[in-house]
């Protein structure tokens, strides 16, 4: 028996050398990316299509929601600023969520989209869900934490960013036609 030399010929994949852990590591962030992308697209579309939400006041309006959250928020000045034009702020949040969701889902400027998602989640945590007690009952803090791995890693597979990176690498290698 020789030490340090593998004598078995088993390879888990046809490409030889990669085991299931490599594949799991490579695809680990994909479910998170799909979940956050779809959720933020849905949230943006939900706001844009809800006429009651996009109103200065009234039941279910963004104006009433922000007024109710103002005194319990960590930064009431943020809400005061948004209350100067609640409908405009509502559209800005909705369009921001839509852009973040699309960018995350298709992997276009994925790190920037994830940063946008984290900033939206942070602002919602500091304002709307700040008063949740205990803190883990509020949903915006977990969303903020979920964005961090995507800020760090981007969208390395199944993404527009990966396609652009692959194309750039082929051009550098001189094999682009």
């Amino acid at each position: 028996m020789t030490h340090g030399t593998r004598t078995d010929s088993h390879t888990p994949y046809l490409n030889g050398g990669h085991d299931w852990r490599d594949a799991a590591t490579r695809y680990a962030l994909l479910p998170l990316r799909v979940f956050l992308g779809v959720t933020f697209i849905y949230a943006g579309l939900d706001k844009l299509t809800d006429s009651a939400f996009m109103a200065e006041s009234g039941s279910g309006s963004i104006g009433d929601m922000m007024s109710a959250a103002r005194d319990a928020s960590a930064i009431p000045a943020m809400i005061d600023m948004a209350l100067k034009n609640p409908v405009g702020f509502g559209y800005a949040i909705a369009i921001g969520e839509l852009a973040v969701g699309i960018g995350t889902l298709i992997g276009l400027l994925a790190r920037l989209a994830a940063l946008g998602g984290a900033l939206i989640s942070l602002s919602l945590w500091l304002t709307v869900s700040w008063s949740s007690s205990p803190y883990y009952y509020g949903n915006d803090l977990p969303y903020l934490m979920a964005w961090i791995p995507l800020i760090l890693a981007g969208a390395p597979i199944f993404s527009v960013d990966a396609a652009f990176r692959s194309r750039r690498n082929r051009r550098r290698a001189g094999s682009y036609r």
Side-chain angles (χ1 to χ4, degrees):
M1 180 169 142
T2 60
H3 296 285
T5 305
R6 287 187 70 164
T7 58
D8 65 328
S9 60
H10 172 70
T11 54
Y13 292 106
L14 293 176
N15 63 359
H18 298 292
D19 65 5
W20 67 271
R21 288 169 289 208
D22 293 332
T25 299
R26 184 170 183 208
Y27 298 105
L29 291 179
L30 193 57
L32 182 62
R33 204 176 102 205
V34 170
F35 170 75
L36 289 172
V38 168
T39 300
F40 269 59
I41 290 170
Y42 180 79
L45 289 175
D46 189 42
K47 287 174 181 67
L48 288 172
T49 58
D50 185 357
S51 60
F53 179 79
M54 288 297 181
E56 231 172 276
S57 61
S59 180
S61 71
I62 186 163
D64 281 2
M65 182 184 75
M66 288 190 306
S67 294
R70 187 206 178 277
D71 293 333
S73 73
I75 308 174
M78 276 178 70
I79 294 180
D80 289 340
M81 188 173 56
L83 280 171
K84 289 180 182 176
N85 185 355
V87 175
F89 179 75
Y91 277 109
I93 287 290
I95 291 168
E97 287 174 335
L98 199 54
V100 162
I102 291 169
T104 301
L105 192 61
I106 68 171
L108 177 62
L109 302 173
R111 284 189 171 107
L112 182 61
L115 179 62
L119 290 174
I120 290 170
S121 296
L122 176 64
S123 67
L124 291 173
W125 177 57
L126 291 173
T127 55
V128 178
S129 64
W130 181 257
S131 63
S132 296
S133 181
Y135 74 93
Y136 51 83
Y137 281 170
N139 64 347
D140 295 309
L141 182 58
Y143 276 102
L144 172 60
M145 295 299 117
W147 285 112
I148 292 173
L150 296 178
I151 292 170
L152 297 173
I157 60 166
F158 301 127
S159 68
V160 175
D161 291 347
F164 285 158
R165 189 172 39 257
S166 175
R167 186 174 181 187
R168 250 189 336 265
N169 290 341
R170 281 196 310 265
R171 279 187 181 170
R172 280 189 208 139
S175 63
Y176 183 77
R177 296 171 200 241

